[in-house]
Amino acid sequence: MVIPILTGSVTITHPDGVDTGTSVQAHVQPETGGKPADGQVDSSPTYRVFLPAGTDVRFNDRIRWDGLLLQVLEQPARWPSPFGGAHHVEAIGTVMPEVIVDVLRGSVENEFGDLIPDTTPVLANVPVWLTEQSQTTFVPADQRTTVIRKLIGLVPPDTDVRERDRLRLEDGVTYLVEAVTRPHSPVERADLRLDLRLVEPGLNTP
């Protein structure tokens, strides 16, 4: 089976939300299978992206292409030209899952005069792209390293979402927005980055 190679413009963003200003023409080829991780098979579609030599793309960067948001899974390969110098860069990216959420904000009084989280959306049907970031940190008290996992959400740049807002998924799972980063982009307005924390059921968050 011949796997087609598609051509289109891609935009690259670093995981800290900083747009690199890189918007280039690239060739994109779907991979034939999922990429194994922790003994499992990742069911998210995976793509191999062929970029011009010298493109500033790194492990864990985001590549936006044709309405999809890809997360770079490993350090990109930089291929030399047989005639000397660099030829191209190859990055493998998996599609970041998109979920639809309602944005909840603030509190209201119940019949007893107590403040409870307001469950009336201020925004509805907002697309969010989710990814998990891991960071290894040394704990001096225990003389060991630990892995801290953070959930990051990306939303369109015009979305009115604020710190302490809550994002409610269609299945009722709710995340608290702990921080909002509005990155500057020299090319176009980049997506807003949200630092998220899962809200335990029954827990009131002001």
Side-chain angles (χ1 to χ4, degrees), residues 104-182:
L104 312 178
R105 181 174 299 154
S107 304
V108 294
E109 286 190 1
N110 62 13
E111 63 269 28
F112 306 107
D114 299 322
L115 287 178
I116 59 174
D118 193 345
T119 58
T120 302
V122 294
L123 294 173
N125 300 322
V126 176
V128 181
W129 293 271
L130 296 177
T131 184
E132 186 180 79
Q133 291 184 5
S134 299
Q135 180 180 2
T136 302
T137 302
F138 180 72
V139 183
D142 299 333
Q143 290 297 299
R144 63 179 179 86
T145 58
T146 185
V147 177
I148 299 175
R149 292 182 170 85
K150 297 176 61 177
L151 186 66
I152 304 299
L154 300 178
V155 296
D158 290 329
T159 307
D160 178 21
V161 62
R162 311 171 188 177
E163 291 185 15
R164 308 302 298 176
D165 280 354
R166 285 158 284 123
L167 307 183
R168 184 177 62 196
L169 279 63
E170 294 173 322
D171 60 3
V173 173
T174 303
Y175 293 95
L176 176 69
V177 179
E178 295 190 314
V180 179
T181 304
R182 300 179 181 271

